[in-house]
Amino acid sequence: MLDGKKILLIISGGIAAYKTLDLIRILRKENAHVTCVLTKGGAQFVTPLSVAALSENQVYDDLWSLTDETQMGHIRLSREHDLIIIAPGSAHMMAKMAHGLADDLASTLLLASDKPIMIAPAMNSVMWRHKATRANVDTLLERGIVSVGPNEGNLACGENGIGRMSEPNEIISAIKKFFANKPLEGLHALVTAGPTYEPLDPVRFIGNRSSGKQGYAIAHALLEAGAQVTLVSGPTRENPVDGANMVYVETALEMLAACEKILPVDICICSAAVSDWRAKKANNQKIKKTSDNEPPTLSFVENPDILKTISNHKNKRPDLVVGFAAETENIESYARSKLERKGCNWIMANLVGKNRNGKEKAFGSDENQIYFFTHADKNPEPWEHMSKKHIAHRLVAKITEHFKN
Ligand code: CTP
């Protein structure tokens, strides 16, 4: 399972570093390609020579190395691997990661990396239980970093408690589980997200209330499942999705052109709230108030339907195309007719507009309620009210099932 996998192993300062030597040996035995970075602390416990000999590779330890950095060594190291493992992960290393510090090679490449990260913490049990470490661990887990251990038992400091680094075999099992859990590996997914802005003049546009949160959550979930992801996004306040190919657009025409450029893909999820119309001709200059104060008359033309275009693509139709339906009423009949009219495989329908308490039901909210429509099932599957992240994972589970079949 680890054959050919490219692993970057960061060895930070801790007595457990001696176990990391064995971890390198097993990884090599499993045919993984191992590149090691030694921190200053790590080098107090194991020597670059033993690490180089076991990994059969150059060992990196200097952010200021002229030879390595002429080729932007830290950026290369941060991008060229399938997984980054930190073992042992010292309390200090975790604190630096949680706070985004970059004062040596290891912390700088971690900050510059868009790759999955796994950490095997190792420290004294009081340090592990300290509020500062707890907060740092929570932050790292929230960011999706995978933690292995620590275990309970005798510690090098003579105390007994939690803080022992996991054994090399346990770390190997976690690595194998990590790589096994990629059901969408090898598939390319295209996701559209956010609103489109259709200009009326250089300062005004027609837009909508879409936040892009659902599409961004879907991109994250697809990446976690191992898919290659291209996210074509209208203007939103969301942070770029690490690991996705981000394509930013403003108008529906730009969004369609960007999507067509990405095809062919295996999966396409159109979650963008594309403006149905654009101004027939956007004014080159700002539209001024007329002397008689008559409001201007605007003429519109229809925008292309991206979902429909991709669903009916002659030779590049993705295997699976999923659309959304944002409705304010008659959700069942409208969503069903969209499924037929647009030719996609599934529709995720939801109600939009304001609740009785004046809060938005879906747009901008962190939660939503989905009705899941397919051609095969007469009735939609109502999903319980849940977070958009949870909806994204539920959808990815459906996609995984689809490709299994
Ligand atoms: N969609 C699209 N391109 C458009 C309009 C919509 O790709 N020009 C996609 C959306 O991304 C969504 C689905 O079509 O996946 C349905 O969007 P929605 O706004 O609910 O429906 P409309 O097609 O705009 O129909 P209506 O305005 O009548 O509800």
Side-chain angles (χ1 to χ4, degrees):
M1 192 182 283
L2 302 184
D3 192 1
K5 292 279 186 253
K6 286 188 247 145
I7 310 258
L8 182 71
L9 182 59
I10 295 175
I11 306 171
S12 71
I15 183 69
Y18 78 90
K19 292 204 254 184
T20 308
L21 296 179
D22 204 26
L23 177 65
I24 301 171
R25 189 188 58 77
I26 306 173
L27 282 169
R28 287 296 298 130
K29 217 171 117 201
E30 297 264 355
N31 242 345
H33 184 89
V34 187
T35 308
C36 295
V37 171
L38 209 48
T39 68
K40 222 170 161 185
Q44 298 294 318
F45 295 93
V46 288
T47 68
L49 190 59
S50 23
V51 174
L54 285 165
S55 65
E56 300 166 75
N57 205 347
Q58 181 182 351
V59 177
Y60 296 84
D61 58 3
D62 186 6
L63 179 60
W64 312 114
S65 154
L66 193 58
T67 23
D68 298 339
E69 286 305 317
T70 40
Q71 295 149 35
M72 289 308 280
H74 69 282
I75 298 292
R76 225 171 20 80
L77 284 174
S78 71
R79 305 284 161 80
E80 281 180 351
H81 295 86
D82 301 308
L83 176 66
I84 300 179
I85 305 172
I86 307 153
S90 65
H92 183 234
M93 173 58 86
M94 291 166 86
K96 288 210 289 188
M97 289 165 74
H99 295 280
L101 299 186
D103 63 349
D104 63 0
L105 179 60
S107 51
T108 305
L109 74 86
L110 284 166
L111 199 60
S113 180
D114 53 6
K115 297 296 171 191
I117 299 171
M118 182 179 281
I119 188 161
M123 65 199 74
N124 167 273
S125 54
V126 178
M127 286 167 87
W128 175 252
R129 285 199 308 267
H130 195 285
K131 274 189 184 160
T133 309
R134 304 294 350 118
N136 293 336
V137 172
D138 286 347
T139 304
L140 298 181
L141 293 180
E142 229 168 72
R143 286 185 202 151
I145 289 173
V146 181
S147 176
V148 191
N151 292 343
E152 230 174 308
N154 289 330
L155 303 174
C157 54
E159 292 177 12
N160 197 289
I162 187 158
R164 272 175 72 92
M165 186 173 93
S166 295
E167 296 305 316
N169 275 326
E170 291 175 291
I171 301 175
I172 293 284
S173 301
I175 298 170
K176 285 188 175 168
K177 196 167 153 220
F178 171 83
F179 283 117
N181 208 10
K182 300 281 168 211
L184 300 183
E185 194 158 27
L187 298 179
H188 187 178
L190 165 65
V191 181
T192 70
T196 63
Y197 284 180
E198 309 296 332
L200 299 175
D201 67 18
V203 294
R204 304 180 180 95
F205 62 85
I206 308 175
N208 60 65
R209 295 181 199 273
S210 167
S211 63
K213 282 181 183 170
Q214 186 64 76
Y216 276 64
I218 291 169
H220 275 289
L222 285 164
L223 275 172
E224 273 174 35
Q228 179 196 343
V229 177
T230 299
L231 177 56
V232 179
S233 173
T236 75
R237 293 179 172 195
E238 294 293 296
N239 290 324
V241 176
D242 272 357
N245 168 28
M246 300 293 304
V247 182
Y248 294 103
V249 296
E250 274 205 10
T251 66
L253 288 177
E254 287 169 7
M255 189 172 271
L256 177 62
C259 290
E260 291 203 308
K261 220 168 143 188
I262 305 298
L263 294 179
V265 295
D266 304 286
I267 306 159
C268 175
I269 299 168
C270 291
S271 71
V274 185
S275 175
D276 290 324
W277 306 281
R278 66 179 183 277
K280 200 166 183 180
K281 191 176 176 324
N283 257 50
N284 285 336
Q285 304 299 332
K286 187 181 169 198
I287 304 169
K288 303 298 287 179
K289 272 180 278 189
T290 49
S291 50
D292 55 6
N293 255 349
E294 274 295 308
T297 313
L298 299 168
S299 337
F300 295 103
V301 287
E302 200 170 324
N303 267 329
D305 190 313
I306 300 166
L307 174 62
K308 195 169 172 182
T309 308
I310 294 177
S311 296
N312 294 285
H313 215 285
K314 270 206 186 90
N315 38 20
K316 290 185 188 162
R317 192 210 193 263
D319 186 85
L320 180 67
V321 185
V322 184
F324 274 73
E327 309 295 348
T328 53
E329 56 176 355
N330 303 332
I331 190 163
E332 270 214 53
S333 61
Y334 285 155
R336 175 70 59 193
S337 80
K338 264 177 206 174
L339 182 68
E340 303 301 337
R341 191 158 34 90
K342 306 216 181 199
C344 52
N345 299 71
W346 303 338
I347 282 276
M348 312 258 290
N350 63 290
L351 281 169
V352 290
K354 288 200 162 80
N355 276 326
R356 263 191 230 128
N357 61 11
K359 268 181 84 178
E360 284 288 343
K361 286 183 193 135
F363 282 156
S365 160
D366 286 331
E367 294 175 349
N368 202 355
Q369 192 186 350
I370 293 291
Y371 293 83
F372 183 77
F373 290 76
T374 66
H375 292 280
D377 300 311
K378 224 173 112 230
N379 295 316
E381 191 180 288
W383 294 359
E384 60 271 34
H385 195 258
M386 55 174 107
S387 73
K388 287 183 174 172
K389 282 187 184 160
H390 197 154
I391 290 170
H393 283 108
R394 176 78 66 93
L395 173 63
V396 168
K398 291 262 181 207
I399 295 173
T400 303
E401 204 55 39
H402 170 88
F403 280 96
K404 243 197 236 159
N405 295 334

